[in-house]
Amino acid sequence: VGALVLALPLLRWGILALGVGYMLWLAARLAGSRSLGQADARRLRIGFMEGVALQFVNIKAWMLALAIVAGWIAGRPDWLARLGLVLPVMLFFGFASNFTYALVGSMLRGWLAQGQRLLWFNRVMAAALVATSAWMVWSALAAPSTAPENAAAGARPIDAQG
């Protein structure tokens, strides 16, 4: 996938535009949200196997796995040793991050329900999305070999030109 994106700079810009557009759309929706969502109890009855199956559609997990495998494991002579090191670290990371997310969320729920706290919290989170989007665009524009005018001409990144 990475080689395809490097070979087709317009594809990179398309992916960037879609990603930034989605993040800005989320930020706009989040900035005006004043109520906590209520989950349907019937939809929360997910067993272990359903939870495992659900991870196969988790785009964040796929992107992390692809980045780790492509950057640190694939094509290495000691790939098996590297895989043996990565698997327990990522397993620990997955459990620790999910536990922390659930713990912080349950602790904040009551606090955010008072007054205007939720609205301001959501606005700060929306501002973080906007700032991240701006940083992504700025980073892409700062790389001269992948700027839109070079992408239209089919230019490849400097390190791929040899």
Side-chain angles (χ1 to χ4, degrees):
V1 175
L4 181 63
V5 173
L6 286 176
L8 302 170
L10 285 177
L11 178 61
R12 177 176 186 253
W13 284 100
I15 292 169
L16 180 68
L18 285 173
V20 167
Y22 178 65
M23 288 173 63
L24 293 175
W25 175 78
L26 284 176
R29 292 205 50 200
L30 187 58
S33 178
R34 297 174 179 265
S35 64
L36 290 169
Q38 296 297 321
D40 182 2
R42 294 172 297 186
R43 296 180 74 190
L44 291 178
R45 292 190 198 114
I46 296 176
F48 177 77
M49 293 309 292
E50 291 92 355
V52 170
L54 186 61
Q55 290 307 304
F56 283 98
V57 296
N58 182 346
I59 190 66
K60 296 180 302 289
W62 279 106
M63 292 287 91
L64 180 60
L66 284 171
I68 289 171
V69 169
W72 206 70
I73 296 173
R76 306 290 178 127
D78 59 342
W79 69 271
L80 194 55
R82 287 173 178 255
L83 185 65
L85 180 64
V86 166
L87 285 177
V89 169
M90 294 313 299
L91 185 64
F92 172 77
F93 172 76
F95 280 120
S97 63
N98 284 334
F99 175 75
T100 303
Y101 180 79
L103 179 65
V104 170
S106 66
M107 291 169 49
L108 280 177
R109 187 170 184 82
W111 184 80
L112 289 173
Q114 301 173 13
Q116 297 280 323
R117 291 177 180 168
L118 180 64
L119 177 63
W120 286 104
F121 179 82
N122 285 344
R123 287 180 177 169
V124 168
M125 294 297 105
L129 281 172
V130 170
T132 301
S133 297
W135 172 75
M136 289 168 58
V137 171
W138 178 80
S139 296
L141 291 173
S145 62
T146 60
E149 61 274 4
N150 293 338
R156 293 180 299 169
I158 294 170
D159 60 343
Q161 291 177 357

